Amino acid sequence: FLNKQVMITRKTLIIALLLASTASFAQIESVVKDEWIPESRMEQHNEFKAGDYAYPAKPRSKWNIGLSLGVPFVTGDVAADPFGGHDGPPMGVGLNIRKGWGYLVSVRAHANYGVTYGQNYTPVTYEKNDRINGNFANDSSAASTGVDYLTTGTQYIPNFKNTTISGGIDFIFNLNNVNFHKAESRFLPYLFAGIGAMSYNVKVNALDADGNIYDYNTLIIDYRDVADREPKLDDLMDDTYETQADVDGSEKGDDVKTLRFSGDFGAGLLWRLGEKGNFELGVEHRLSWTGDDLLDGQQWELGGTQTSATDFYHFSALTVGVNIGKNAQQPLWEVNPMGFIYSKLNEFDIANLLADADDDGVVDYLDREPNTPAGTPVDTHGVSLDSDKDGCPDSEDPEPFSTPNMPIENCQNVFVTENRVNEIIDERLKGIDLASLGGGAGSNWYLPMIFFDLDKSNIRPDAVASLASVADIMKQYPKLKVEVVGYADTRASENYNLKLSENRAKAAIEYLSSKGIDQSRFTMKYEGESNNLIPNATRESEHQMNRRVEFHIVK
């Protein structure tokens, strides 16, 4: 019945086994090369190839070093100028190094440098901006002279130049490398999030080449339409951003650098290049949040109210990368882990895989004993069952559930009969005058031996009856003295076995003493692993016969 059930469900089990069993992927050199496996994981790799472990070792993978070139910009109170300020275009450059953490997640360290600009074309409040409202200009202790728009009554149109150095760690989540329908993907989109730090300095173009404050009043009055005002404003201003922008606090000086921690978020798309895919070309956008409202140097709206939103720093870039590493596979975000399974499945002939030549319910591919005789019960590996572990398969064993404590001959336990025991005792009692020992003459007794578990000296329950027989005989013959001899099997050292056999003899004497036999009637002897009943024992049942205590009549 069991075999029929196994045969009915084996097709279903095969599919699962192909995906998960150790035997399904025994030869993997064509997919994962041995030299890719680090020494620390080589044991797992070898066990997997031998079919002794279900999961393959993670191979060594390459690093990726990349360069980013792009345009940074700030979204805040002053409009970003993506085409550049008065002294040049915005520009950004970044360097990063990336390592696969797993097939879905990788880690990247990055460092970026960027210069970006912003320009509004409508006036804003400047009364609360210490750098513009004259407070620093009228403060002799200030390291910065500032600009005194408040005194002149000139309207102020904000602008800025932001110079930023930043760095941090990104956790990148791959979106397209686990693919069920093709071996690999050339286009690899991803999302990322990370933490970092950002140091930035913001300057404003507030003075002309002669050091005078720009006069925006006439410009604002004459050109009320912003579209008309824009080119005139550009003509009015020079290329120098000479004045420190507003900062959070009262820092003095013309070159204040603000340091903030940042949270980074973004997305990108990579395109693998080259025959071996060792180069990457991509586009990426990064958004950094610091919680600061002064990335554009401006935090006051017209009318003197503070803006409610913080500024964000952006970096849109074109990226190039190269994979480096010796004796390693491609970076894990480029590897499709499904390819490992599919390549192995493609090697199998499913029709032959389901063959079962010995018809034991276990397919040949998984059968460790493919030529089992017909009708032989087998385990889940197709190996003949041996329920009592006596070395005889159940199909040949007339006693398939016999005790392992007895010796085996021709697949049968060898029993020692009471008559044979009496013969042995009679041989040992030759020359002994039983009448002189006290009690009456009799021949209905014998001194049995008792057995012990491996590495144990405690009295087993099955020895109680034997010890009771010894106690009864010694009570019938009160002058009888008995030598108690302990033995051990051949496993462990000789000194250890001598001590173990001593403890076994002591245990037997203590037990008999508890039953009313005086200890003076015993002599103790321990022989360890010498004089064993089965000198060359190999099976557990044979070792069991050697772990014993014998009771000898003292002449």
Side-chain angles (χ1 to χ4, degrees), residues 255-311:
D255 195 27
V256 178
K257 293 180 175 62
T258 302
L259 179 64
R260 293 284 186 269
F261 289 107
S262 66
D264 297 336
F265 309 90
L269 175 66
L270 291 177
W271 181 33
R272 296 177 59 197
L273 300 174
E275 181 179 352
K276 295 184 178 180
N278 284 327
F279 298 93
E280 295 178 346
L281 179 65
V283 291
E284 179 179 287
H285 182 79
R286 176 185 297 274
L287 181 148
S288 299
W289 178 82
T290 62
D292 198 334
D293 193 26
L294 288 170
L295 295 179
D296 57 6
Q298 180 67 30
Q299 63 178 340
W300 304 104
E301 296 176 342
L302 189 63
T305 59
Q306 191 168 9
T307 58
S308 58
T310 58
D311 299 340

Side-chain angles (χ1 to χ4, degrees), residues 207-446:
L207 305 175
D208 62 17
D210 296 326
N212 298 316
I213 296 173
Y214 291 121
D215 182 5
Y216 298 118
N217 291 337
T218 302
L219 188 68
I220 294 171
I221 295 172
D222 293 346
Y223 300 95
R224 295 188 178 280
D225 189 282
V226 174
D228 296 331
R229 186 183 302 165
E230 181 177 340
K232 299 300 181 180
L233 184 61
D234 291 340
D235 292 339
L236 174 67
M237 302 175 70
D238 64 12
D239 297 337
T240 304
Y241 290 81
E242 75 294 316
T243 303
Q244 173 65 46
D246 194 8
V247 296
D248 186 12
S250 58
E251 292 93 337
K252 310 299 182 181
D254 291 325
D255 195 27
V256 178
K257 293 180 175 62
T258 302
L259 179 64
R260 293 284 186 269
F261 289 107
S262 66
D264 297 336
F265 309 90
L269 175 66
L270 291 177
W271 181 33
R272 296 177 59 197
L273 300 174
E275 181 179 352
K276 295 184 178 180
N278 284 327
F279 298 93
E280 295 178 346
L281 179 65
V283 291
E284 179 179 287
H285 182 79
R286 176 185 297 274
L287 181 148
S288 299
W289 178 82
T290 62
D292 198 334
D293 193 26
L294 288 170
L295 295 179
D296 57 6
Q298 180 67 30
Q299 63 178 340
W300 304 104
E301 296 176 342
L302 189 63
T305 59
Q306 191 168 9
T307 58
S308 58
T310 58
D311 299 340
F312 289 92
Y313 187 86
H314 301 257
F315 183 33
S316 296
L318 178 70
T319 64
V320 292
V322 59
N323 301 329
I324 61 172
K326 186 178 180 181
N327 294 329
Q329 70 169 1
Q330 293 299 102
L332 296 182
W333 60 89
E334 296 183 0
V335 177
N336 181 6
M338 297 303 300
F340 182 87
I341 296 175
Y342 283 153
S343 63
K344 293 292 99 182
L345 287 175
N346 195 45
E347 297 176 5
F348 297 130
D349 184 340
I350 298 299
N352 290 333
L353 194 65
L354 297 176
D356 182 10
D358 55 8
D359 198 30
D360 61 358
V362 180
V363 295
D364 293 346
Y365 188 77
L366 302 178
D367 199 336
R368 296 181 182 177
E369 190 179 275
N371 298 314
T372 305
T376 301
V378 297
D379 60 17
T380 55
H381 300 291
V383 178
S384 300
L385 286 177
D386 180 11
S387 300
D388 54 9
K389 309 300 181 185
D390 60 1
C392 298
D394 288 359
S395 57
E396 301 175 9
D397 196 339
E399 297 174 333
F401 303 103
S402 62
T403 174
N405 296 333
M406 303 295 291
I408 303 295
E409 289 183 9
N410 299 323
C411 292
Q412 297 188 47
N413 289 131
V414 178
F415 295 94
V416 180
T417 65
E418 182 176 341
N419 289 335
R420 176 53 185 156
V421 173
N422 280 323
E423 290 176 1
I424 295 173
I425 297 300
D426 289 341
E427 291 175 1
R428 293 185 177 179
L429 291 176
K430 285 181 179 179
I432 297 178
D433 182 4
L434 295 179
S436 65
L437 299 176
S443 59
N444 60 340
W445 56 272
Y446 61 94

Side-chain angles (χ1 to χ4, degrees), residues 429-468:
L429 291 176
K430 285 181 179 179
I432 297 178
D433 182 4
L434 295 179
S436 65
L437 299 176
S443 59
N444 60 340
W445 56 272
Y446 61 94
L447 299 182
M449 63 183 71
I450 61 174
F451 300 94
F452 293 81
D453 290 332
L454 176 64
D455 200 30
K456 303 293 184 182
S457 59
N458 54 293
I459 302 299
R460 297 192 327 199
D462 61 0
V464 171
S466 299
L467 291 170

Side-chain angles (χ1 to χ4, degrees), residues 473-526:
I473 294 299
M474 296 186 73
K475 289 177 181 178
Q476 290 183 45
Y477 298 91
K479 295 184 179 181
L480 180 71
K481 291 189 176 182
V482 173
E483 180 184 58
V484 182
V485 186
Y487 296 90
D489 62 28
T490 56
R491 292 173 291 185
S493 66
E494 183 177 358
N495 288 337
Y496 184 86
N497 284 335
L498 281 172
K499 183 63 178 177
L500 183 59
S501 60
E502 177 186 2
N503 291 338
R504 287 170 175 169
K506 284 182 178 179
I509 292 173
E510 290 174 357
Y511 183 88
L512 290 170
S513 297
S514 69
K515 300 303 179 181
I517 309 299
D518 193 281
Q519 288 198 18
S520 63
R521 298 179 62 189
F522 298 102
T523 59
M524 184 173 67
K525 187 177 180 181
Y526 41 94

Side-chain angles (χ1 to χ4, degrees), residues 28 32-46 48 53 55-62 99-106 327-333 340:
I28 65 170
V32 177
K33 298 179 180 179
D34 287 346
E35 58 264 29
W36 293 352
I37 308 299
E39 187 63 31
S40 61
R41 294 193 283 267
M42 185 57 70
E43 181 179 357
Q44 179 184 347
H45 178 67
N46 291 332
F48 175 79
Y53 193 73
Y55 296 92
K58 181 181 177 182
R60 187 185 296 109
S61 61
K62 294 182 179 180
K99 178 68 173 177
W101 198 0
Y103 292 99
L104 297 179
V105 180
S106 53
N327 294 329
Q329 70 169 1
Q330 293 299 102
L332 296 182
W333 60 89
F340 182 87

